Amino acid sequence: MNRKSIFIAIFLGLICLFSILLIQYIWIKKALSSQHTEIQLQMRKDSLNAIEFQQKVQGALRETSIKIALLNNDVSDRYGTVRRVQNNLFYVEFQGDLQKDFLINTLTREFDRMSVTNDFVVGLYNCYKNDVQYSHLIKFTGDRLFEKTNISIAHPSFYFTNESHYFAIYFPTVIPKNVDLSEDLGSPWVFLVMVCLLILVYLTYSILIIIRQKKLADIKTDFINNMTHELKTPIATIKLSSTALLSNDFSDDNDRLQRYASIIYSENKRLEEQVERVLTIAKMDKQSTPLKKAIVDIHDFIEEAHETFEMNLEEIGGSFQLSMKAKSHVLYVDSVHIKNVIFNLLDNAIKYRREDVPIQLVVATENDKKNLIIHITDNGVGIDKSDVKYIFDKFYRVPKGDVHDVKGFGLGLYYVKNIIEQHGGTIQIKSEKGKGSTFTITLPLKRIE
Ligand code: ADP
C-alpha cells in the first residue's frame, strides 16, 4: 500500500464517518422534535386534567364545608373557606365541632359525586388543643368506594398553622406541579457525542496502525534492497574470478592464479563477515549481548579512532579535532563493543557528510559528577526532526526516495544504543537538517559488576 492509497483510504473513511454522523444527526433531530411536540401536547392535556381535577375537588370540598356549617348552625359567609395550597393539597376552615366519621363520610360521598377517584389523606386539626386529631389515608378501592385505612401519612408542615379549625386534604398520588419533561431531552446528544468520540478514537488508532505498518513495510523493502545490493558486488566479483579460473589454463601463470584465488577468498570472507554482522545485530535484543568487561581508558580508544579516521580524511579532505577535557576517563566496559560504538558513530559522520563542504569532526569529552560524557559532532547532512525519533530503531534509515546513495542496513545506531544501554548509559542526538549532528554518550564512571 503506497502513501497515496493510504491517504485515499483515510479520506474515504472520513467521508463515510461524517456521512453516518450527519444521518444520525438528522434522525435524532427529527426524533427529538416529534418527541418535543408529543410532550407539549401531553403537558397541555395534563394541565387541562389538572384544572378539571382541582375544580372537582374544590367543588366537593365546598359542599362538605356547607354541610359542616349546617350541622353547626353556622350561618357565616362560606367564601374563602376552601383554599388550594398546592395542586394536591387543600385545606378547609370550619367553625364548631366536627366528628371525624362525619367528615370522612361527607368527603367520600362528595368526592364520589364529583367523580374524584384518587386516594387521599385527611387531616383534622383542633386549634384549641393545637393538635392533629386525625391524619389517615383513605384509599379508593374501585366501584365508587373509598375505604378508611390505618395508614398514617406524614403531611407537609404547613398544614395547620392558623388559629382556627381546619381539615386538610392531601392527594399523595397527584403530582404537585407540572413536570417539564423536555429537561430530559439532552441525553441523546450526550450519546451522540460519545459515539462520535469513540469512532474518532477508533479511526485515529486504525490510521496510526496503518501508518506504522506502512513504515515497517518500507523498512523491510529498504532492507531487502540494501542487502541485495551489498551482497551482489562480492558475489559478482567471485563469479568473475571463478569463471576466469575455469575458462583459462593458468598452470604456468602462478601469479594470476594466486590473484584470482585470493580475490575469491577475500570477497568470500567479506561476504561472510557482512552476513554474520547483519544477522548478529538483527538478532540482538536488549540484554542479549554478553559483555566482557575490563578496566579501559576511553581516551585511548578515542585517540586510536582519531589516528585511523584522520588517515581517511586525508583522502576526502576535512578536519578531525579532539577536545578531551574529562578528568576521569577510565571505565569498566567491554572494550570491543565500546570501540565499535565510537567507530560506528565516526563512520556515520563520514558516510553522511555533505559533499559541498569539507568535513569537520569533533570528539569532546567531559565529566559530570557520576559520568563520562562523550560528544561526537559532525557538520554532515543532519537529520530531520521527524526522523530523529526513529533513527535508533532496528533497520531504520532516513528515507531518501527510492535510491539510497549511502550503503547501510539501518542497524548501526540500533547496535550503538543497545551497547550503551547495556553499560547503564544513554545516547542522545541533536541534529539539524543540512547543518550537522551531535551524538552525546553518557557512561557511568563506576560500574564494576
Ligand atoms: P545505516 O548507516 O546502516 O543506514 P545507522 O543505524 O547507522 O544505519 O543509521 C540510521 C540512519 O541515521 C542512517 O540511515 C542515516 O540516515 C542517519 N544517520 C546516522 N548517523 C548520521 C549522521 N552522523 N549524520 C546524518 N545522518 C545520520
Side-chain angles (χ1 to χ4, degrees):
M1 208 183 204
N2 60 25
R3 199 174 277 259
K4 205 172 152 199
S5 345
I6 291 179
F7 279 123
I8 291 175
I10 293 173
F11 182 67
L12 290 179
L14 284 175
I15 289 186
C16 290
L17 172 70
F18 283 114
S19 317
I20 292 169
L21 289 179
L22 189 72
I23 292 169
Q24 286 260 9
Y25 173 79
I26 294 170
W27 277 354
I28 291 187
K29 214 172 153 137
K30 267 191 183 166
L32 281 182
S33 93
S34 70
Q35 201 182 345
H36 194 75
T37 324
E38 224 169 84
I39 287 169
Q40 293 238 313
L41 283 174
Q42 187 60 43
M43 276 164 62
R44 212 166 295 156
K45 216 164 124 192
D46 286 353
S47 85
L48 286 176
N49 285 344
I51 291 169
E52 196 190 346
F53 170 75
Q54 273 153 48
Q55 282 172 348
K56 284 181 187 173
V57 171
Q58 276 174 314
L61 292 180
R62 249 191 311 271
E63 265 322 298
T64 310
S65 165
I66 290 168
K67 284 188 177 145
I68 295 167
L70 279 175
L71 191 74
N72 288 315
N73 294 321
D74 174 13
V75 287
S76 62
D77 187 6
R78 305 306 312 143
Y79 180 76
T81 49
V82 177
R83 268 191 263 165
R84 181 176 67 98
V85 183
Q86 273 185 0
N87 284 1
N88 60 350
L89 176 65
F90 302 82
Y91 56 78
V92 181
E93 204 179 331
F94 65 90
Q95 307 284 333
D97 285 336
L98 179 56
Q99 293 300 314
K100 73 172 193 261
D101 287 339
F102 175 77
L103 174 62
I104 291 163
N105 289 340
T106 315
L107 278 173
T108 49
R109 213 170 308 125
E110 288 304 324
F111 281 155
D112 178 39
R113 193 174 60 78
M114 299 301 280
S115 310
V116 175
T117 53
N118 300 60
D119 298 352
F120 63 95
V121 178
V122 56
L124 185 55
Y125 173 72
N126 184 331
C127 76
Y128 300 135
K129 294 181 181 166
N130 190 20
D131 184 26
V132 180
Q133 289 185 323
Y134 180 78
S135 177
H136 280 259
L137 176 72
I138 316 281
K139 271 183 103 58
F140 181 72
T141 54
D143 285 343
R144 307 175 63 207
L145 281 178
F146 283 96
E147 188 181 277
K148 269 195 282 178
T149 71
N150 284 330
I151 305 167
S152 177
I153 294 227
H155 40 73
S157 57
F158 51 80
Y159 257 35
F160 308 104
T161 51
N162 241 314
E163 294 197 342
S164 47
H165 299 313
Y166 280 89
F167 67 86
I169 303 296
Y170 171 57
F171 295 93
T173 53
V174 175
I175 301 165
K177 61 177 178 183
N178 289 339
V179 178
D180 186 6
L181 296 170
S182 58
E183 277 168 15
D184 285 343
L185 297 184
S187 49
W189 296 112
V190 175
F191 177 71
L192 188 65
V193 169
M194 300 268 282
V195 170
C196 286
L197 281 178
L198 263 174
I199 295 176
L200 269 179
V201 168
Y202 170 73
L203 203 75
T204 317
Y205 180 67
S206 312
I207 290 170
L208 286 179
I209 287 185
I210 293 175
I211 291 174
R212 200 175 154 71
Q213 290 297 331
K214 154 112 181 71
K215 208 159 224 159
L216 285 177
D218 286 352
I219 286 174
K220 201 171 115 193
T221 317
D222 218 23
F223 174 75
I224 292 168
N225 288 342
N226 278 318
M227 194 77 182
T228 317
H229 190 262
E230 292 278 302
L231 299 185
K232 254 184 180 169
T233 321
I235 289 172
T237 320
I238 291 173
K239 188 180 170 192
L240 278 177
S241 306
S242 51
T243 316
L245 282 179
L246 284 173
S247 52
N248 297 294
D249 180 11
F250 292 115
S251 49
D252 44 358
D253 189 352
N254 210 24
D255 279 357
R256 286 186 76 185
L257 188 72
Q258 278 288 323
R259 197 143 37 92
Y260 283 126
S262 65
I263 288 174
I264 292 173
Y265 178 78
S266 62
E267 285 299 302
N268 187 53
K269 197 162 180 269
R270 192 153 77 95
L271 205 59
E272 197 183 333
E273 276 171 8
Q274 223 155 28
V275 172
E276 191 59 35
R277 188 166 54 91
V278 171
L279 289 182
T280 311
I281 302 178
K283 271 194 291 183
M284 192 176 190
D285 273 326
K286 274 197 177 145
Q287 313 296 329
S288 71
T289 326
L291 299 178
K292 284 186 201 147
K293 288 189 181 178
I295 292 174
V296 290
D297 187 343
I298 302 290
H299 278 183
D300 286 351
F301 289 168
I302 296 173
E303 268 153 19
E304 198 182 314
H306 183 243
E307 268 174 41
T308 314
F309 280 89
E310 249 198 343
M311 268 187 341
N312 288 350
L313 283 182
E314 269 171 22
E315 274 176 41
I316 50 176
S319 68
F320 185 172
Q321 285 166 9
L322 295 183
S323 163
M324 317 250 259
K325 293 192 179 140
K327 296 251 162 27
S328 311
H329 39 85
V330 176
L331 301 184
Y332 184 65
V333 292
D334 184 311
S335 58
V336 176
H337 285 303
I338 291 295
K339 212 188 267 184
N340 280 344
V341 164
I342 295 168
F343 274 66
N344 245 308
L345 291 176
L346 290 171
D347 219 24
N348 274 354
I350 292 175
K351 264 163 68 179
Y352 301 106
R353 66 182 181 273
R354 279 181 286 160
E355 295 298 339
D356 50 339
V357 286
I359 188 163
Q360 279 177 9
L361 263 178
V362 182
V363 176
T365 63
E366 58 176 329
N367 286 120
D368 66 11
K369 268 187 194 157
K370 293 180 180 165
N371 303 293
L372 168 69
I373 302 167
I374 309 166
H375 306 277
I376 298 179
T377 305
D378 64 57
N379 63 338
V381 293
I383 303 167
D384 202 78
K385 260 196 193 129
S386 56
D387 293 307
V388 163
K389 51 182 180 276
Y390 301 114
I391 58 157
F392 294 106
D393 289 356
K394 203 189 255 186
F395 299 124
Y396 189 81
R397 304 199 75 210
V398 175
K400 282 201 180 152
D402 286 341
V403 189
H404 250 285
D405 41 3
V406 183
K407 288 175 195 164
F409 295 111
L411 289 171
L413 291 182
Y414 172 75
Y415 166 79
V416 166
K417 188 165 193 248
N418 206 307
I419 292 297
I420 294 297
E421 284 179 354
Q422 284 195 53
H423 281 85
T426 58
I427 179 161
Q428 275 155 359
I429 175 177
K430 267 192 193 153
S431 189
E432 203 176 327
K433 186 132 183 86
K435 293 214 165 141
S437 320
T438 298
F439 287 85
T440 302
I441 295 172
T442 307
L443 283 169
L445 287 172
K446 282 189 191 128
R447 210 178 153 85
I448 299 180
E449 288 151 4

